[in-house]
Amino acid sequence: MNKMSPTHQPLLSSAAKIAIIGGGVAGSTIALRFAELGLDTTLIEKGPSLVNGPPICHLHAGGNLYREICDEQCLTLLKQSIDTVKVYPHSINIRPTVIALPKTDKGQPEDLLPRLEKLRARYSELVTQDIRNKVLGEPADYFRFYSREEIDALVNKSIPNKAKQASDWLISFSQHVDLDNLKFPVLLVQEYGWSAFRMAAITSLAIDRLASCHLQTNSQVVAITQKENDSTWQVTTKNETGSSNHQHFDYVINACGFKSGEIDDMVSAKRQRMVEFKAAYVAHWPQCQGLWPEIVFYGERGTPQGMAQLTPYPDGYFQLHGMTQDITLFDQGLVASSLKSAQPQLAARFIDKIDKQWPEQLVNNRTLGSIEHIAQFIPAFTQAEVAAKPLFGAQQIPGEDADLRAADVSFHGRHYARAEIVKGSSALAAADAILANLVDCGLIAAEEVGDYLTQHYFPVSQQCSDTEVTERAMVLAKQRDYPIALAKNL
């Protein structure tokens, strides 16, 4: 394949060689950000393909799924999500999220209003600053509450395949949810879906076409050493045949996700962090028809009444979360680093699930449990069936606040950065911060990068067409043993 798009002109002439360890959302995004500018970038990934980590299913365009985080984190997530939609439009499933409070919940719908108004005001400001930021619809329509009477008025309408007005998204909700179990009003907010498979497709397609990006898959980093006199790094990798390769770089970026502590330990970089193992489940509900929003029923995390989340995909497939210890969360699934190591130690049973496979009985038990958890609010969902193995992985959380959701990057010593994102939409912010550090280190001339220090320049990535993204995403879904519906666009 031609490794350079004919319309792509590298902007930077820097001779710096950069290594990125880990090809998840963070590592792939940073690689694209740098390679699009013309930086010599090597992306090293232990597995066979990119973006194959913890499950992502939606942007956090305002953090509305997290009542427990502060307004500042929500505002940060809003801006980061807008940037993500602009850079990766073909990975986004444009549909809103309905948030409902069960009668058992301690909160009230009105409690959400002050934060929502702040988010709407901030979105309006961003659109005023730059019309290209208007990617979540009109600011005035960012959220809307619906009363019981307004929902009841939709019950006899036919469920459309395309939405002509906001209330169309609530027709399936009105007909299938046990409304008597809910507090009103319910919230409709522009929290869109985000397809992990489509994101993986875009990154792999674009990297294929960028001459300055060198992808090394099936390559595990086994040693890193830094020369004292010039701060350059030797990175040693092993491939699947067991043969070693020694490479030299001017700058190393640790984007290893939950394994970041292993790289930190190699370079004697102390870091306090946590790791949490999580899973989402895939169900097929063939009786379901027409347009569905994402639906979130709030609940207290870690209890049997934990949040229930239904994420729609085409052809009757759904991704399910339940914030209980029997569904998405796991007993002893949250662990912290120690004074001896920057790498939190997950129990062997979790590592086995990540590196090998899930026991079939556990797949069935947890998926059926997640179906039951949703069915307490959507009774007909008991018809749904187990459709695939879970989407799973371990999520890193830097520091010691388990509720942290907006985070991006930290630095250690000379020419070493850690991408420490919790949510995928923070990856661009991490790339921006590391690019600024490359300027500060003198590896890139400030006058050469100019406005692109803050402007996102992704011409090759954005040339990927919707059709080729879908085709590549479906190939990746098949390779990973998931239904191809998860790779399709809504």
Side-chain angles (χ1 to χ4, degrees):
M1 176 178 289
N2 177 16
K3 267 292 257 185
M4 181 62 73
S5 166
T7 59
H8 181 254
Q9 296 296 323
L11 298 176
L12 304 181
S13 58
S14 170
K17 295 184 69 175
I18 298 159
I20 302 169
I21 307 170
V25 174
S28 298
T29 294
I30 296 165
L32 287 176
R33 176 88 163 98
F34 291 178
E36 294 268 26
L37 293 169
L39 289 171
D40 189 319
T41 306
T42 298
L43 179 59
I44 303 168
E45 165 55 36
K46 184 177 78 170
S49 59
L50 299 174
V51 189
N52 194 14
I56 58 172
C57 58
H58 54 257
L59 290 165
H60 286 278
N64 291 292
L65 275 67
Y66 301 108
R67 286 182 291 185
E68 66 274 17
I69 67 176
C70 65
D71 290 355
E72 185 178 351
Q73 284 193 61
C74 290
L75 292 166
T76 298
L77 290 169
L78 174 70
K79 175 64 167 65
Q80 292 176 347
S81 293
I82 289 168
D83 289 341
T84 300
V85 178
K86 288 159 66 179
V87 170
Y88 300 121
H90 291 312
S91 69
I92 308 301
N93 286 323
I94 298 176
R95 50 112 191 99
T97 295
V98 176
I99 294 176
L101 275 69
K103 286 183 175 175
T104 54
D105 191 81
K106 295 174 184 175
Q108 297 298 327
E110 293 79 6
D111 299 340
L112 308 174
L113 190 57
R115 172 182 287 177
L116 287 162
E117 288 179 334
K118 284 183 186 176
L119 288 164
R120 181 165 60 188
R122 180 60 181 145
Y123 179 37
S124 184
E125 287 173 12
L126 291 168
V127 171
T128 300
Q129 290 169 13
D130 186 345
I131 193 64
R132 291 173 296 182
N133 288 328
K134 196 168 80 169
V135 294
L136 304 173
E138 293 292 337
D141 301 329
Y142 172 69
F143 75 90
R144 194 190 149 183
F145 282 104
Y146 285 81
S147 68
R148 175 66 188 262
E149 292 73 26
E150 287 174 305
I151 298 297
D152 284 340
L154 302 173
V155 168
N156 294 320
K157 295 197 170 186
S158 58
I159 301 174
N161 289 315
K162 294 217 177 275
K164 294 182 180 176
Q165 54 197 6
S167 61
D168 287 348
W169 289 103
L170 286 156
I171 296 173
S172 54
F173 178 90
S174 72
Q175 294 177 5
H176 289 91
V177 173
D178 183 350
L179 301 176
D180 292 333
N181 276 343
L182 303 181
K183 297 179 181 180
F184 282 87
V186 297
L187 170 67
L188 186 76
V189 63
Q190 301 306 315
E191 293 262 21
Y192 292 168
W194 192 12
S195 167
F197 292 108
R198 298 181 71 81
M199 177 68 186
I202 293 168
T203 57
S204 57
L205 286 165
I207 285 170
D208 282 349
R209 296 166 184 170
L210 284 161
S212 48
C213 191
H214 320 292
L215 176 61
Q216 299 174 6
T217 53
N218 298 305
S219 298
Q220 182 163 9
V221 173
V222 293
I224 307 178
T225 54
Q226 188 175 32
K227 294 182 182 177
E228 290 185 15
N229 56 342
D230 63 2
S231 299
T232 59
W233 296 91
Q234 177 176 288
V235 177
T236 303
T237 58
K238 275 191 177 177
N239 62 22
E240 66 264 50
T241 66
S243 60
S244 297
N245 184 22
H246 304 290
Q247 302 171 81
H248 294 87
F249 300 97
D250 299 293
Y251 197 102
V252 168
I253 299 164
N254 176 355
C256 287
F258 88 99
K259 290 284 188 81
S260 292
E262 293 184 2
I263 305 299
D264 277 347
D265 286 348
M266 288 181 193
V267 301
S268 301
K270 292 196 176 297
R271 182 63 170 147
Q272 191 166 26
R273 61 165 58 84
M274 289 172 284
V275 159
E276 185 170 26
F277 184 87
K278 289 181 173 179
Y281 303 88
V282 185
H284 189 215
W285 185 19
Q287 294 88 348
C288 128
Q289 300 289 324
L291 204 64
W292 279 77
E294 182 160 339
I295 305 175
V296 172
F297 301 97
Y298 273 163
E300 186 176 348
R301 180 187 170 98
T303 71
Q305 285 74 47
M307 182 180 78
Q309 181 181 340
L310 180 80
T311 305
Y313 288 88
D315 307 328
Y317 286 88
F318 291 87
Q319 184 174 336
L320 314 176
H321 286 79
M323 291 302 165
T324 79
Q325 293 290 347
D326 296 323
I327 302 174
T328 291
L329 307 178
F330 290 77
D331 184 37
Q332 299 181 325
L334 177 66
V335 291
S337 55
S338 67
L339 292 174
K340 292 182 180 179
S341 173
Q343 178 60 48
Q345 296 301 315
L346 280 168
R349 67 181 186 276
F350 299 123
I351 300 300
D352 286 345
K353 290 182 182 69
I354 292 169
D355 291 342
K356 298 173 187 174
Q357 63 181 8
W358 286 57
E360 187 175 348
Q361 185 175 357
L362 187 62
V363 171
N364 286 328
N365 288 348
R366 285 207 167 230
T367 307
L368 291 171
S370 65
I371 290 169
E372 288 176 19
H373 195 55
I374 297 291
Q376 65 182 314
F377 304 108
I378 304 176
F381 200 69
T382 54
Q383 301 168 319
E385 302 165 343
V386 179
K389 64 184 179 182
L391 295 147
F392 61 91
Q395 178 183 69
Q396 70 166 331
I397 308 169
E400 50 189 339
D401 176 9
D403 290 336
L404 179 69
R405 292 297 177 267
D408 43 55
V409 69
S410 67
F411 302 94
H412 174 82
R414 288 176 57 77
H415 299 187
Y416 178 77
R418 309 176 190 90
E420 296 182 318
I421 68 169
V422 181
K423 292 300 169 192
S425 47
S426 301
L428 284 165
D432 294 348
I434 298 171
L435 188 62
N437 188 250
L438 287 166
V439 172
D440 292 341
C441 292
L443 293 174
I444 302 174
E447 61 274 12
E448 192 174 16
V449 70
D451 291 342
Y452 292 108
L453 194 60
T454 53
Q455 289 180 17
H456 293 140
Y457 180 73
F458 284 82
V460 173
S461 305
Q462 294 180 331
Q463 282 173 12
C464 298
S465 71
D466 188 72
T467 299
E468 64 182 343
V469 169
T470 300
E471 288 173 355
R472 179 68 67 94
M474 289 195 296
V475 168
L476 290 169
K478 283 181 184 175
Q479 287 174 351
R480 298 175 189 178
D481 296 321
Y482 289 105
I484 62 170
L486 302 189
K488 296 179 182 178
N489 221 338
L490 279 176

